[in-house]
């Protein structure tokens, strides 16, 4: 609609300029500018479409001013046309300055595009500075705002038939554009530029030598996949050694959750290869990506695939896993899954470590208290890249399940859809929206709370708001709107001492207040970062889900769960195909089994699957002792010991290139030792590097 209004305004402006008709010309110009503002503020997608049609803002702005000039020339007498020569000349100068500003802006951006991006690392040595104003970096918005005096002056000249307003307007625009150009040119002075590429790389090499990382979390993926790395941050902070997070995409630096771990982004392969000469011994991979093959080339680092979750899906036994040195899985079932799949992963390379993240999941304390609501967590998975209708229950069964749960007055429903729901199949997104509306409608029909209850609820809500503000303050990125990546790198330097512990305490307090604030009779759609999935596990009495890693993780609490069979297969075949369903209640798309399921949850004597859940939990997650974190650290130590140390790396390089080694021995002088020092002193100095403080759980 706005684009149509904009097109109509240009047609009307053309008619007003050619007739000429001043009121029509001025009204069409005003409508055109208003439509531009609406598009810039609320409809960026339409702007992108216009740009692809070669009708971007620059073209539209030039056309708008050109039509005003045509109108002026049509309105004036022939002997007065020379009066408008100066405004037209000023207009041309303004557009020339606009092009110059854009060219210099590109040069400034290139000087601020560093080969390495970091978080939680002191980068003050790189001479970083705040980014130029966003107005100077965005050509469309810059032209619209800086050119506004010119457009207004031309419109006023058309109304008064005098050249002075046009000359004044163009002069203001020229001065503003020249000032912007000057500000950007100063940024190109050698003293104002950030460190150059080689200087940054040398700084990064020094940081690697000083920090001496031993284990890294390697991640590459799309914008919506950051959760796969975030779920491993807290575990990484508790591992033995010096951890680091290694990313490949620049945008991912801002999407990694709050953590005190050093975060390094290495976009180029050539920069990534510098890790070969570091102390890094093991990289942990929570996902597969095309860029994973690049880091696997480094022979001095061992690689372990941990996945971001385990389920009976084919993605949990991907053939790509055989590219890693080891595959770390939760329990015996995952080991057998790889053996059954026959994808080339040898059993000797599979290591059972449990799921360290599940320390946050509390065990079941018993059935719901008499008179209390039964909290049901419906957490379906998404449709998957293949769009198989059996992947998610949202389309075929979601609405039926939600209606059946809402029909029970003793149920409080928590609906937590997968973040990628609807990203492949529009039908899944539409079903998700209908489910949300069902929940909103059920909440609207709730009876009003008594005054004393409402007062207590207001008090709890105020406390939750206070804790939210505190947690947001602790986890805020701390960067202004419009900051570029170099400015973020400057602001997000080494975190203050104790921040991680403060975040952990604030997160625990927030979650406690959140659930206390949620009325027992209110249903909730849970999205976003908070509350986390495991916090929902602790609040729920029952899980309803699909075949996904959510099932395995939920079993850590020993609570009942149900899996929806939307594939149309018989229940026996369904259980045989998916071992994680062995201890579940299987629901059909019509949700007819929901009442009996709720009855079994409320009355444990009717729950015939408790023993099966305990047995399945052991198969999926492994034993409780030693703890999962202890097993993970043991696996890390063993794999790290298998990585070649610096001496072995040199020996292997020499073995590959014996002539080069002989030349080095002949040409290089023997190492010099300072008086009173020796190998032991050197080793002691190297070991004196202080490891980072252990961060708390990310949010």
């Amino acid at each position: 609609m706005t684009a149509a209004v904009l097109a109509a305004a240009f047609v009307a402006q053309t008619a007003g300029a050619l007739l000429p008709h001043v009121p029509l010309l001025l009204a069409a110009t005003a409508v055109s500018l208003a439509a531009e503002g609406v598009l810039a503020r609320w409809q960026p997608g339409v702007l992108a479409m216009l740009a692809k049609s070669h009708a971007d803002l620059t073209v539209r702005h030039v056309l708008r001013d050109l039509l005003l000039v045509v109108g002026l020339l049509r309105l004036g007498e022939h002997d007065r046309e020379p009066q408008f020569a100066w405004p037209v000349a000023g207009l041309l100068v303004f557009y020339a300055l606009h092009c110059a500003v854009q060219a210099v802006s590109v040069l400034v951006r290139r000087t601020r595009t560093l080969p390495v991006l970091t978080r939680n690392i002191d980068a003050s040595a790189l001479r970083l500075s705040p980014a130029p104003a966003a107005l100077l970096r965005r050509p469309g918005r810059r032209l619209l705002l800086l050119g506004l005096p010119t457009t207004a002056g031309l419109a006023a000249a058309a109304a008064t038939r005098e050249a002075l307003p046009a000359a004044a307007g163009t002069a203001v625009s020229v001065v503003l554009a020249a000032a912007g150009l000057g500000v950007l040119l100063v940024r190109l002075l050698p003293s104002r530029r950030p460190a150059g590429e080689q200087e940054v790389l040398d700084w990064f090499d020094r940081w690697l030598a000083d920090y001496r990382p031993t284990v890294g979390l390697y991640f590459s993926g799309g914008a919506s996949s950051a959760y796969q790395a975030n779920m491993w941050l807290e575990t990484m902070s508790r591992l033995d050694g010096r951890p680091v997070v290694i990313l490949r995409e620049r945008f991912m630096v801002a999407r990694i959750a709050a953590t005190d771990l050093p975060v390094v982004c290495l976009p180029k392969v050539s920069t990534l290869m510098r890790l070969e000469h570091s102390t890094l011994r093991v990289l942990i991979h929570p996902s597969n990506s095309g860029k994973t093959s690049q880091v696997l080339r480094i022979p001095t680092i061992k690689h372990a695939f941990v996945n971001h979750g385990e389920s009976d899906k084919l993605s949990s036994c991907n053939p790509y896993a055989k590219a890693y040195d080891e595959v770390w899985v939760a329990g015996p079932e995952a080991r057998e899954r790889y053996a059954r799949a026959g994808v080339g992963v040898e059993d000797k390379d599979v290591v059972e470590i449990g799921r360290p993240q599940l320390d946050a999941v509390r065990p079941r304390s018993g059935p719901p208290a008499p008179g209390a609501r039964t909290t049901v967590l419906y957490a379906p998975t998404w449709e998957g890249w293949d769009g198989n209708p059996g992947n998610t229950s949202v389309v075929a069964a979601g609405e039926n399940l939600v209606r059946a749960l809402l029909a029970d007055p003793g149920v409080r429903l928590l609906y937590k859809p997968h973040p990628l729901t609807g990203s492949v199949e529009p039908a899944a997104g539409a079903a998700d929206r209908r489910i949300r509306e069902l929940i909103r409608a059920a909440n609207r029909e709730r009876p009003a709370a008594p005054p004393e209850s409402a007062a207590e609820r207001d008090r709890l809500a105020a406390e939750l708001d206070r804790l939210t503000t505190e947690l947001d303050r602790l986890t805020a990125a701390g960067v202004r709107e419009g900051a570029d990546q170099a400015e973020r790198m400057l602001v997000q330097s080494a975190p203050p001492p104790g921040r991680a512990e403060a975040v952990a305490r604030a997160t625990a307090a927030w979650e406690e207040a959140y659930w206390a604030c949620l009325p027992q009779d209110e249903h909730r759609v849970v999205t976003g970062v908070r509350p986390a999935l495991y916090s929902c596990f602790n609040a729920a009495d029952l899980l309803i889900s699909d075949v996904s890693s959510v099932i395995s993780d939920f079993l850590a609490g020993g609570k009942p769960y149900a899996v929806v069979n939307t594939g149309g297969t018989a229940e026996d075949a369904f259980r045989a195909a998916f071992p994680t369903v062995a201890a579940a209640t299987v629901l059909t798309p019509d949700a007819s089994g929901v009442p009996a399921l709720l009855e079994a949850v409320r009355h444990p004597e009717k729950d015939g699957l408790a023993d099966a859940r305990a047995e399945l939990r052991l198969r999926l997650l492994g034993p409780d002792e030693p703890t999962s974190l202890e097993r993970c650290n043991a696996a890390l130590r063993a794999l790290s010991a298998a990585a070649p140390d610096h001496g072995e790396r040199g020996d292997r390089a020499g073995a590959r290139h014996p002539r080069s080694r002989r030349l080095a021995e002949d040409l290089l002088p023997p190492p010099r030792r300072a008086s009173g020092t020796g190998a032991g002193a050197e080793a002691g100095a190297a070991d004196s590097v202080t490891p980072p403080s252990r961060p708390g759980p990310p949010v």
Side-chain angles (χ1 to χ4, degrees):
M1 178 65 72
T2 308
V5 170
L6 182 64
F10 275 115
V11 172
Q13 193 182 15
T14 303
L18 295 178
L19 287 178
H21 191 279
V22 174
L24 179 60
L25 178 63
L26 297 181
T29 301
V31 171
S32 174
L33 289 172
E36 293 283 8
V38 172
L39 289 175
R41 180 65 178 84
W42 290 292
Q43 299 179 357
V46 178
L47 288 177
M49 180 189 68
L50 291 173
K52 291 180 180 179
S53 304
H54 299 284
D56 59 13
L57 195 146
T58 301
V59 173
R60 299 194 302 272
H61 199 83
V62 171
L63 178 60
R64 188 181 299 111
D65 288 347
L66 177 63
L67 290 174
L68 285 172
V69 171
V70 171
L72 282 174
L73 297 178
R74 294 276 294 163
L75 286 168
E77 294 81 4
H78 290 289
D79 59 340
R80 298 187 62 193
E81 288 182 357
Q83 299 180 13
F84 295 99
W86 286 109
V88 171
L91 186 64
L92 295 176
V93 171
F94 168 69
Y95 280 111
L97 285 172
H98 167 71
C99 294
V101 169
Q102 180 58 22
V104 176
S105 175
V106 171
L107 293 177
V108 171
R109 185 177 70 244
R110 289 179 178 176
T111 65
R112 297 180 60 83
T113 302
L114 307 180
V116 178
L117 294 179
T118 64
R119 264 177 57 185
N120 300 331
I121 297 174
D122 183 5
S124 57
L126 300 181
R127 303 189 303 277
L128 302 177
S129 61
L135 181 65
L136 298 177
R137 294 182 280 131
R138 299 173 182 173
R141 185 175 298 181
R142 180 179 65 240
L143 180 60
L144 184 63
L145 293 180
L146 299 189
L148 192 59
T150 293
T151 304
L154 292 173
T160 62
R161 301 194 181 189
E162 296 291 336
L164 182 59
T170 54
V172 172
S173 292
V174 166
V175 170
L176 292 176
L181 179 61
V183 169
L184 290 176
L185 285 173
V186 170
R187 295 274 184 158
L188 294 179
L189 295 175
S191 61
R192 297 294 301 274
R193 295 184 187 182
E197 180 174 355
Q198 188 58 50
E199 189 176 352
V200 173
L201 295 176
D202 292 341
W203 168 84
F204 177 61
D205 288 341
R206 290 194 299 271
W207 179 83
L208 286 174
D210 292 340
Y211 179 63
R212 296 167 60 216
T214 58
V215 56
L217 181 73
Y218 178 91
F219 187 74
S220 171
S224 60
S225 62
Y227 72 95
Q228 299 173 357
N230 288 335
M231 67 170 54
W232 279 95
L233 293 178
E234 196 268 340
T235 299
M236 288 293 299
S237 70
R238 299 163 62 195
L239 291 179
D240 296 337
R242 295 178 176 85
V244 62
V245 178
I246 297 174
L247 308 175
R248 301 301 310 282
E249 290 79 20
R250 294 178 180 271
F251 65 82
M252 191 62 70
V253 177
R255 286 176 168 80
I256 292 297
T259 178
D260 283 5
L261 295 175
V263 178
V264 176
C265 178
L266 307 174
K268 295 182 179 180
V269 178
S270 58
T271 310
L272 180 70
M273 291 299 112
R274 304 178 91 86
L275 296 177
E276 181 174 359
H277 306 290
S278 72
T279 56
L280 197 61
R281 304 180 70 86
V282 174
L283 279 181
I284 294 174
H285 300 258
S287 69
N288 296 309
S289 71
K291 294 181 180 179
T292 301
S293 62
Q294 297 170 350
V295 75
L296 292 178
R297 302 175 188 177
I298 301 179
T300 57
I301 299 176
K302 293 295 184 179
H303 302 269
F305 179 61
V306 295
N307 213 337
H308 52 277
E310 290 187 8
S311 70
D312 291 321
K313 294 179 181 178
L314 293 178
S315 58
S316 290
C317 51
N318 194 309
Y320 198 103
K322 62 188 175 185
Y324 303 93
D325 295 290
E326 290 183 354
V327 178
W328 294 357
V329 299
E333 177 57 39
R335 178 187 295 275
E336 296 175 11
R337 185 184 300 122
Y338 274 107
R340 291 193 300 267
V343 293
V345 176
E346 298 185 31
D347 186 72
K348 66 180 180 62
D349 296 329
V350 179
V351 181
E352 299 174 26
I353 65 167
R355 287 275 285 167
Q357 298 91 337
L358 299 184
D359 290 347
V361 179
R362 295 194 297 265
R364 186 187 189 191
S365 58
R373 296 294 180 107
T374 302
T375 301
V376 180
L377 172 62
Y378 177 38
T381 189
W382 65 304
E383 58 270 25
W385 296 119
D386 58 359
N388 189 315
N391 288 342
T392 178
S393 59
V394 169
V395 178
E399 292 171 84
N400 293 335
L401 287 169
V402 169
R403 286 194 182 95
L405 292 168
L406 296 177
D408 189 315
V411 165
R412 177 176 67 177
L413 175 61
L414 306 177
Y415 173 55
K416 188 171 178 60
H418 193 283
L420 296 180
T421 299
S423 60
V424 173
E425 290 293 333
D432 172 59
R433 291 188 292 271
R434 291 193 296 269
I435 290 173
R436 298 183 188 217
E437 180 54 37
L438 287 173
I439 294 173
R440 285 192 291 265
N443 283 332
R444 288 194 295 267
E445 296 173 0
R446 291 186 301 118
E452 59 275 10
S453 176
E456 176 64 13
R457 185 175 301 179
D458 291 342
R459 186 190 67 81
L460 292 172
E463 176 65 10
L464 180 63
D465 290 341
R466 185 190 68 80
L467 291 170
T468 300
T469 302
E470 174 67 10
L471 190 53
D472 288 342
R473 182 187 65 81
L474 289 171
T475 59
V479 295
R480 64 183 177 90
E481 185 179 359
D484 62 2
Q485 291 172 334
E487 182 177 344
R488 286 178 172 270
M489 186 172 169
L490 171 65
V491 174
Q492 297 176 319
S493 59
R499 186 187 70 166
E501 291 77 7
V503 169
R505 290 192 300 269
T507 301
W510 185 92
E511 290 179 347
E512 182 179 354
Y514 177 87
W515 297 115
C517 185
L518 182 62
Q520 285 229 353
D521 57 349
E522 180 177 324
H523 312 289
R524 185 61 58 96
V525 177
V526 182
T527 57
V529 177
R530 297 191 293 261
L533 177 62
Y534 296 158
S535 180
C536 295
F537 284 179
N538 294 332
D541 300 302
L542 166 69
L543 168 71
I544 299 178
S545 187
D546 304 320
V547 175
S548 70
S549 61
V550 173
I551 295 174
S552 303
D553 289 354
F554 187 78
L555 274 169
K559 299 176 182 178
Y561 71 102
V563 180
V564 188
N565 178 11
T566 57
T569 59
E571 180 174 330
D572 291 343
F574 184 65
R575 291 183 183 275
F578 304 109
T580 54
V581 185
T585 298
V586 176
L587 297 177
T588 54
D590 61 4
S592 58
V594 167
L597 173 63
L598 294 173
E599 187 71 9
V601 174
R602 292 163 179 160
H603 302 282
E605 68 275 8
K606 299 181 180 181
D607 179 9
L609 294 171
D611 293 339
R613 286 196 302 274
E615 181 181 349
L616 182 60
R617 178 185 182 280
L618 187 63
R619 287 187 52 76
L620 292 179
L621 304 176
D624 293 331
E625 295 295 337
T627 67
S628 181
L629 182 62
E630 291 172 340
R631 284 181 279 157
C632 187
N633 270 318
L636 174 62
R637 287 192 296 269
L639 188 57
S640 178
D645 60 24
H646 289 288
E648 291 174 345
R649 297 173 190 180
D651 291 343
R652 292 183 182 183
R656 289 193 299 266
H657 306 286
R659 183 171 180 269
S660 299
R661 184 174 64 179
R662 288 195 301 272
L663 285 173
E665 293 172 348
D666 293 340
L667 296 176
L668 292 178
R672 299 169 57 186
R673 291 186 179 180
S675 176
T677 62
E682 293 171 359
D687 290 338
S688 66
V689 177
T690 303
S693 60
R694 294 302 192 202
V699 294

